[in-house]
Structures are given as structure tokens and as C-alpha cells.
Amino acid sequence: MKSRIKVLILAIAVAATAPVFAAPGHEEAEGKILKEGVSSSQQLGGSPVRYQIPVARTGKLYLSSEHLASESNRTMAIEASLYSPSGQLLAKDSDSKGHFTLNESVDPGTYYLDIKGSSLGSVNDSDNRYNIHMGVK
């Protein structure tokens, strides 16, 4: 009986101190780094997601989004804001059909892209998913 109580107390203690895991797409995004090309599938959540964009050369930064081809674009509103390394807003675009496009001249440094939006689908629906295209020319 005492061993069962100890096991129960241990199980409760582990459950109470374990980290809370959110639904996919809702993880802390401060560490997300965008590289040239197409990102893996991302998911809109209730709060903005921040991406770091390391730029190694002077040029034109191109950013755009696309939702999954099989999904309706009428259910997804998305907004993107691009910030300079010093935190100044450089460009912003929003769309009620699931797309954004940003083009901005940049110098070397780490830029930041904030994305927020909403979808009529639930958190686990693929309606919330999008990819980011990024390039510097």
C-alpha cells in the first residue's frame, strides 16, 4: 500500500512539474530562422510568430507565402511585417486570401519577420498551414 502511494505521489509530482506542450504550430518561435528557399510547412496560431532572417549580402530581400495547394484560400487571413536589425518596421502586407508578398532592399544583418493571422479551421486543420518563400538577389 505504501509503495502504491509513493508511486502515485511521484506520478503527480512529475505531471505537475512537466512542461506543458501546446498544439502544433504554437511553439515559441524566437529561435526560428528562415533560410533561402521554401520553408517547411508552418501553422498559424493565436499569437504572432517571429522569424529571424540572416542576410549576408546587400541586395533585394523577397518574401512571400503560400497556403497548401489543396486548401481553400478563402478561410485564411495572414499579415506579415518585416523589421530591420534595429527593430524599425520596413514593410508590411496582409491579405484575406492567405498570401503576403514583401520586397525590400537590405544590407547585411539579421532581419525579423512577424507573421500573424487567423483561419476559419481549427488549430489542427491544414487550412492553417502555409509556407514561406525567401530569397536575396
Side-chain angles (χ1 to χ4, degrees):
M1 181 75 151
K2 285 185 179 183
S3 65
R4 285 185 185 175
I5 292 174
K6 287 180 182 178
V7 169
L8 181 59
I9 290 171
L10 180 62
I12 291 171
V14 168
T17 60
V20 176
F21 295 99
H26 292 278
E27 69 274 1
E28 186 60 37
E30 286 300 321
K32 289 190 174 190
I33 298 173
L34 285 179
K35 297 179 181 176
E36 288 195 61
V38 181
S39 73
S40 61
S41 182
Q42 306 296 307
Q43 188 169 7
L44 286 175
S47 58
V49 177
R50 173 160 278 197
Y51 299 89
Q52 296 178 27
I53 305 171
V55 174
R57 63 188 184 277
T58 299
K60 189 87 163 181
L61 175 64
Y62 296 92
L63 294 161
S64 65
S65 69
E66 70 174 339
H67 57 83
L68 296 179
S70 63
E71 300 304 323
S72 168
N73 62 0
R74 294 183 208 137
T75 62
M76 180 184 197
I78 194 166
E79 180 179 296
S81 302
L82 178 65
Y83 295 91
S84 70
S86 65
Q88 177 185 0
L89 178 63
L90 298 175
K92 188 175 196 175
D93 189 29
S94 62
D95 184 55
S96 61
K97 295 181 181 177
H99 302 283
F100 69 81
T101 303
L102 300 172
N103 302 311
E104 194 68 27
S105 296
V106 293
D107 292 317
T110 300
Y111 292 77
Y112 300 93
L113 178 67
D114 287 354
I115 296 180
K116 64 181 178 178
S118 61
S119 176
L120 295 178
S122 74
V123 144
N124 294 318
D125 283 349
S126 57
D127 287 352
N128 296 347
R129 296 190 184 277
Y130 63 94
N131 295 75
I132 303 169
H133 296 253
M134 193 276 279
V136 180
K137 295 184 181 184

